[in-house]
Amino acid sequence: MTRLRVGIIGDPVEHSISPAMQQPAFDALGIDAVYEKWPTNAAELPDRIASIRLPDALGANVTAPHKLAVMELIDDITPLARRIGAVNTVINRDGHLTGDNTDEHGFAASLTAAFPEMKLDKAVMLGAGGAARAVSLALETLGAADVAVWNRDRARAERLKDEIAPDLLRPIEPDVETLRGELTEASVLVNATSAGWHRGEHPIPLELLDMLPDGAIVADLVYRDTDLLLAARKRGLGALDGLGMLVHQGARGFELWTGKRAPVDVMMAAAIEERAKRA
């Protein structure tokens, strides 16, 4: 019997944690499949996607810079992926390829798993790029009544509102004083920007965290503790990094490929171990 294949498509992909958490999931369920890294440049993308149509391929994850380009090479795209405007998961069904996006589920599931008693009313989201699209829909799913969007380019925040959730998102002026006022009523603050990956780098002045109410949650999409999260914990606030989002979005992909419930605990343990190796 031919061993089944799944992989992550991107350029580059060497940094990806996905193989380290997906392979243990297949192994735990006794599925004879291998999860691989498939480095693919733009010129190679059509052939790579064609190879996923073969009977031994379950599908693939797709990462930068191909999340948009892949949409032109597959057969169907789910309504959620169309709404987000990107595909990060491809599912093969007898040579028919469907594109989905599991980031919305990943963020919502990680937030509720970490804070099951969370009461989400008003949120503040930093950023209006690709990650913010999935976060916006996750906050909608979780029942947020109002999401203030703070982005240095106000016009981009307005486009995000129009394209994603006109009745939920509320772009605000990109100045510190406006943000300060919004934080006083926020139950969740999400950093959906790339700022903060490096030590000493902050998406907002850290003293603004003092404006958040007691019990508020600060979430960052980076896979480790950022200065923002460390400052939040120091102030007694809830803090959540992006590793849980990665695991839960990967678990949803696993279930789409296999039709089986993903062993989330196994995947989380493997992801934590891999992160520790890289620290």
Side-chain angles (χ1 to χ4, degrees):
M1 182 175 178
T2 303
R3 194 176 195 192
L4 299 172
R5 298 181 297 119
V6 193
I8 182 164
I9 299 169
D11 186 18
V13 293
E14 286 308 311
H15 65 287
S16 177
I17 294 177
S18 292
M21 69 175 186
Q22 292 284 7
Q23 191 62 55
F26 285 113
D27 296 344
L29 270 61
I31 298 172
D32 189 18
V34 58
Y35 189 102
E36 302 171 323
K37 295 178 181 179
W38 292 338
T40 305
N41 62 36
E44 297 167 332
L45 187 61
D47 286 344
R48 178 68 73 187
I49 297 303
S51 74
I52 303 172
R53 298 182 185 276
L54 297 175
D56 65 333
L58 292 175
N61 285 129
V62 183
T63 189
H66 301 316
K67 291 184 178 184
L68 299 181
V70 72
M71 298 173 77
E72 302 298 322
L73 301 171
I74 56 182
D75 304 306
D76 287 315
I77 300 169
T78 65
L80 177 61
R82 286 198 182 279
R83 193 174 175 194
I84 293 175
V87 161
N88 76 343
T89 304
V90 177
I91 306 99
N92 179 24
R93 295 285 184 270
D94 298 323
H96 185 94
L97 301 184
T98 299
D100 206 343
N101 193 303
T102 62
D103 283 338
E104 178 267 344
H105 169 81
F107 183 74
S110 66
L111 196 57
T112 54
F115 302 100
E117 304 300 321
M118 172 187 65
K119 291 180 173 59
L120 176 58
D121 181 22
K122 175 179 176 178
V124 173
M125 181 172 66
L126 309 177
R133 300 173 77 89
V135 169
S136 297
L137 296 184
L139 292 172
E140 180 182 74
T141 297
L142 293 172
D146 174 66
V147 179
V149 183
W150 191 79
N151 191 68
R152 297 191 185 280
D153 182 351
R154 171 71 183 268
R156 191 176 193 188
E158 293 286 355
R159 289 195 298 273
L160 180 71
K161 170 189 173 180
D162 293 342
E163 294 173 4
I164 293 292
D167 297 328
L168 175 66
L169 303 183
R170 180 171 52 84
I172 60 176
E173 292 298 325
D175 61 81
V176 170
E177 287 309 308
T178 298
L179 180 59
R180 184 187 301 273
E182 295 287 344
L183 290 174
T184 61
E185 299 178 352
S187 52
V188 175
L189 168 65
V190 184
N191 178 28
T193 75
S194 60
W197 174 263
H198 302 289
R199 291 289 179 225
E201 183 179 86
H202 317 134
I204 58 173
L206 296 181
E207 59 267 22
L208 290 182
L209 296 178
D210 293 334
M211 299 296 103
L212 287 165
D214 292 342
I217 298 163
V218 179
D220 204 321
L221 305 191
V222 175
Y223 301 160
R224 59 168 176 76
D225 274 345
T226 59
D227 285 3
L228 181 71
L229 295 179
L230 292 171
R233 285 201 182 92
K234 187 175 181 180
R235 288 162 170 79
L237 301 169
L240 179 67
D241 67 45
L243 193 69
M245 178 179 176
L246 175 71
V247 170
H248 283 282
Q249 67 84 17
R252 173 57 64 90
F254 181 94
E255 292 171 354
L256 291 170
W257 297 322
T258 66
K260 300 181 182 297
R261 183 180 296 275
V264 175
D265 290 348
V266 170
M267 298 175 77
M268 181 66 77
I272 290 171
E273 181 179 354
E274 181 65 18
R275 179 176 62 180
K277 290 178 182 177
R278 301 182 182 197

